[in-house]
Amino acid sequence: MGLAAVRERVKKVQDANKFASEMTSIIAVSKMQNISRITNVLDEGHRCFGENRVQEASNKWPALFKIYDGIELHLIGPLQTNKARQAMSLFQAIHSVDRPKLSNTIARLAQETGNCPDIFIQINTGYEPQKAGILPSDADPFIKECRSLDLPLKGLMCIPPEQEAPAKHFKLLVTIAEANGLSGLSMGMSGDFETAVAFGATYVRIGSAIFGSRLPEEAQ
Ligand SMILES: *Cc1c(COP(=O)(O)O)cnc(C)c1O
């Protein structure tokens, strides 16, 4: 599909849906992509990227920061507390805050360094046991807790169950966000971003539709 086509589709859905946000940012998810694919997208003028692993991101991006100005990097995958410090110096936003131990660690490091990325709480909208995220029934108190830690909490993130229609999960995320006065909605991937935009996504996280299929390690 490519970046230009994705942009066009996002715009089309925005124009056609009254619940769509006027500002939907496209996070180009560059995990498991090689440098030449990434620089192609940078050379198209795009600056907003996502990675799901701290280690992989820290291998790839510092060199690109030296060549391209204004890159904004989002962490969209699980974060271990022992990688939090590294993540906070590399990413402008963390979309995967999903437990008190992590929010407490981030808050402590933010106090220490005076720097904190934008925070999104991941919600496990499908109550999937194997999936990360705060359960919807636990969301309100966890959001309050994050606020009491003075974290720059911007919104919520979800990954709908693979086998289900995504709409009801996006809708649930919107409901929880509205009930808590949060405007950021990180939802929608290559297969379902148009639905997510129609429901008001402010960030869509799109990998394969922009870059092509992810590559095996030896080809990255
Ligand atoms: C990999 C990934 C994406 C992008 O997936 P595509 O289907 O390639 O668009 C989005 N969100 C998260 C959390 C991911 O890990």
Side-chain angles (χ1 to χ4, degrees), residues 174-218:
V174 170
T175 304
I176 299 169
E178 280 180 352
N180 287 280
L182 288 168
S183 57
L185 293 166
S186 168
M187 57 189 201
M189 308 175 27
S190 292
D192 56 17
F193 71 89
E194 285 160 300
T195 308
V197 172
F199 277 97
T202 60
Y203 285 98
V204 287
R205 310 176 308 267
I206 304 182
S208 42
I210 291 176
F211 294 100
S213 300
R214 286 182 270 281
L215 300 165
E217 200 162 351
E218 63 275 13

Side-chain angles (χ1 to χ4, degrees), residues 14-16 27 43 47 56 64 70 73 78 102 119 123 133 139 157 205:
Q14 279 176 315
D15 291 345
I27 300 175
D43 290 336
R47 289 295 181 269
E56 185 183 341
L64 293 166
L73 206 55
L102 180 58
I119 298 294
I123 306 288
M157 179 270 228
R205 310 176 308 267

Side-chain angles (χ1 to χ4, degrees), residues 23-89:
M23 267 294 298
T24 307
S25 299
I26 298 170
I27 300 175
V29 178
S30 50
K31 69 182 186 208
M32 298 176 77
Q33 300 290 354
N34 63 28
I35 294 296
S36 86
R37 285 184 176 181
I38 295 171
T39 54
N40 282 344
V41 172
L42 282 160
D43 290 336
E44 284 184 73
H46 198 75
R47 289 295 181 269
C48 181
F49 291 83
E51 290 281 346
N52 73 330
R53 301 177 109 175
V54 178
Q55 194 55 53
E56 185 183 341
S58 67
N59 291 341
K60 276 196 309 217
W61 284 94
L64 293 166
F65 292 157
K66 291 190 185 143
I67 307 172
Y68 296 89
D69 284 333
I71 293 172
E72 183 185 304
L73 206 55
H74 295 250
L75 179 64
I76 60 170
L79 178 58
Q80 295 168 284
T81 47
N82 64 5
K83 295 260 173 75
R85 184 185 293 273
Q86 195 183 1
M88 289 169 72
S89 69

Side-chain angles (χ1 to χ4, degrees), residues 133-151:
I134 295 281
L135 296 178
S137 50
D138 298 333
D140 294 359
F142 186 63
I143 290 167
K144 282 204 185 77
E145 197 178 320
C146 287
R147 286 200 161 119
S148 75
L149 293 170
D150 267 341
L151 292 175

